[in-house]
């Protein structure tokens, strides 16, 4: 079971219960659940654990660095929690407000400069809206620096609804440094 941290969910339990005689291997990069639900309800032992610090030390991951963008428009007080996580619908509504998108995009573009970045968003809709705003900020930055305006393809939102050929095209463009 991939993403085995979901295995305590009713839908996953139904599958595991249906295949009672099967040996089940669960894999995940995020084993710690926000709701603290016991994964031992489904799995007896942990066969192998590879922690982020260990992977960084071994050279598989780069060291974690973070920058915080302070915003005036972010208000999570109306965001409910579901199973210990922020409610996705509420969070999408909050994160897709135009003012907040700009408050996030501007500093992000300035911080990234000419470096490539991957940005993970709340939902597919959030990804596409943020990409539009980021694109405008990237173009504005180019104008301020007296550079040629970059093409619209400089920023792309990619999600599972895209056809595999489109996904490949975007990934290839990213690997070539065009995004």
């Amino acid at each position: 079971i991939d993403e085995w941290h979901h295995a305590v969910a009713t839908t996953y339990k139904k599958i595991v219960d249906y295949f009672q005689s099967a040996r089940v291997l669960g894999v995940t990069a995020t084993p710690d659940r926000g709701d603290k639900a016991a994964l031992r309800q489904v799995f007896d032992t942990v066969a192998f654990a590879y922690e982020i610090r260990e992977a960084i030390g071994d050279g598989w991951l780069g060291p974690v660095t973070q920058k915080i963008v302070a915003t005036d428009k972010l208000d999570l007080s109306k965001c409910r929690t579901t199973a210990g996580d922020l409610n996705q619908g509420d969070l999408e509504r909050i994160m897709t407000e135009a003012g907040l998108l700009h408050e996030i995009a501007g500093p992000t573009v300035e911080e990234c400069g000419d470096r490539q970045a991957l940005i993970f968003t709340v939902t597919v809709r959030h990804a596409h809206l943020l990409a539009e705003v980021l694109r405008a900020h990237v173009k504005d930055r180019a104008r301020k620096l007296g550079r040629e305006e970059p093409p619209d393809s400089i920023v792309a939102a990619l999600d599972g609804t895209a056809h595999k050929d489109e996904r490949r095209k975007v990934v290839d463009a990213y690997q070539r440094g065009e995004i």
Side-chain angles (χ1 to χ4, degrees), residues 3 10-11 20 26 42 57 75 78 82 84 124 150 173:
E3 302 296 335
T10 304
T11 52
Q20 288 181 5
V42 180
D75 178 8
K78 293 186 176 119
T82 305
V124 169

Side-chain angles (χ1 to χ4, degrees), residues 16-167:
V16 172
D17 289 346
Y18 182 82
F19 295 101
Q20 288 181 5
S21 63
R23 292 179 184 243
V24 179
L25 170 68
V27 293
T28 184
T30 52
D32 301 319
R33 290 179 53 95
D35 64 1
K36 308 294 183 212
L39 295 172
R40 291 200 186 270
Q41 296 174 37
V42 180
F43 297 96
D44 297 326
T45 62
V46 174
F48 182 76
Y50 193 55
E51 299 293 333
I52 289 176
R53 287 187 177 136
E54 192 177 353
I56 291 169
D58 291 344
W60 291 105
L61 297 174
V64 175
T65 58
Q66 71 178 18
K67 300 287 181 174
I68 297 172
V69 175
T71 66
D72 294 327
K73 299 191 182 332
L74 179 61
D75 178 8
L76 296 175
S77 66
K78 293 186 176 119
C79 189
R80 297 168 292 172
T81 57
T82 305
D85 290 325
L86 296 175
N87 177 279
Q88 189 172 4
D90 291 351
L91 191 57
E92 178 190 56
R93 182 182 41 75
I94 292 165
M95 296 300 293
T96 56
E97 292 174 359
L100 183 57
L101 288 169
H102 284 277
E103 267 194 344
I104 292 169
T108 299
V109 168
E110 291 306 314
E111 181 63 38
C112 289
D114 293 329
R115 295 174 298 169
Q116 288 182 292
L118 292 174
I119 299 172
F120 295 89
T121 58
V122 176
T123 61
V124 169
R125 178 174 174 260
H126 181 214
H128 288 274
L129 291 171
L130 184 58
E132 286 178 37
V133 175
L134 284 165
R135 190 175 297 112
H137 281 267
V138 167
K139 289 182 175 197
D140 186 52
R141 180 176 181 271
R143 280 191 294 277
K144 286 179 183 174
L145 295 174
R147 296 180 178 171
E148 182 179 323
E149 185 172 301
D152 285 346
S153 60
I154 192 77
V155 177
L158 188 59
D159 64 79
T161 65
H163 186 274
K164 70 177 183 173
D165 294 338
E166 177 64 18
R167 287 195 305 266

Side-chain angles (χ1 to χ4, degrees), residues 1-18:
I1 299 173
D2 190 18
E3 302 296 335
W4 74 277
H5 56 279
H6 294 299
V8 296
T10 304
T11 52
Y12 279 69
K13 284 182 181 179
K14 281 183 181 179
I15 295 167
V16 172
D17 289 346
Y18 182 82

